[in-house]
């Protein structure tokens, strides 16, 4: 296992599906969830997306205090601890993330509306090999 940010354990992991409604209701909760990594920021590893049983979760790292690998993380299981919160991601930021992910100019220009959903700010990440 590889650790990034604060050293956390896997002992308090909850199912995302069991906590997402609480996060919507309260606006923000502190929790630990897991999922399979879809991609990480290919430029510097400053964000990642991971899939749970039902949703894709966008994960940033608290205060850019740590990063994850830019390559080789896709498909690995990650355990993350931090804040799950309701987030409105602006068009500017969605376009920035799309550019970081290497999307085409045409795809980036198709982004015209902000997204409302749940995001995660991680204090620590465990990545299983």
């Amino acid at each position: 296992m590889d650790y990034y940010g604060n050293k956390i354990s896997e002992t308090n992991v909850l199912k995302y599906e069991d906590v997402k409604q609480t996060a919507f209701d309260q606006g923000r909760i502190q929790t630990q969830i897991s999922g399979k990594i879809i991609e990480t920021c290919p430029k510097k590893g400053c964000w990642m997306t991971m899939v749970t049983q039902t949703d894709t979760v966008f994960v940033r790292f608290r205060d850019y205090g740590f990063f994850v690998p830019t390559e080789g993380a896709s498909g690995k299981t990650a355990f993350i601890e931090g804040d799950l919160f309701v987030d409105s991601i602006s068009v500017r930021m969605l376009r920035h993330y799309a550019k970081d992910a290497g999307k085409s100019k045409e795809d980036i220009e198709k982004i015209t509306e902000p997204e409302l959903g749940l995001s995660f700010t991680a204090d620590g990440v465990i990545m299983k090999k």
Side-chain angles (χ1 to χ4, degrees):
M1 287 189 280
D2 294 318
Y3 295 85
Y4 303 91
N6 293 346
K7 190 161 185 179
I8 61 173
S9 73
E10 316 171 32
T11 57
N12 297 316
V13 178
L14 301 172
K15 287 185 178 181
Y16 169 81
E17 291 72 21
D18 292 342
V19 298
K20 78 180 205 177
Q21 190 58 52
T22 303
F24 270 117
D25 293 346
Q26 296 181 14
R28 175 181 304 268
I29 60 169
Q30 188 170 28
T31 190
Q32 186 182 59
I33 60 173
S34 67
K36 192 160 296 275
I37 298 170
I38 299 170
E39 68 179 328
T40 62
C41 172
K43 287 195 172 191
K44 58 183 170 179
C46 61
W47 55 261
M48 70 180 185
T49 55
M50 63 181 218
V51 66
T52 67
Q53 290 179 346
T54 58
D55 293 323
T56 299
V57 179
F58 186 77
V59 182
R60 297 180 199 109
F61 309 112
R62 178 115 30 226
D63 301 325
Y64 286 95
F66 64 97
F67 303 103
V68 295
T70 57
E71 294 181 2
S74 295
K76 292 183 178 179
T77 298
F79 297 86
I80 57 176
E81 185 174 294
D83 295 328
L84 180 64
F85 61 97
V86 177
D87 190 16
S88 176
I89 304 174
S90 70
V91 170
R92 183 180 68 78
M93 286 308 295
L94 289 169
R95 287 181 172 186
H96 172 79
Y97 297 141
K99 183 179 178 183
D100 281 356
K103 302 290 182 191
S104 71
K105 184 177 179 183
E106 291 173 343
D107 286 341
I108 293 169
E109 289 175 356
K110 289 178 186 175
I111 300 170
T112 59
E113 297 289 325
E115 288 182 8
L116 182 65
L118 292 176
S119 292
F120 202 98
T121 300
D123 295 309
V125 175
I126 298 172
M127 198 176 295
K128 285 198 165 184
K129 295 182 179 189

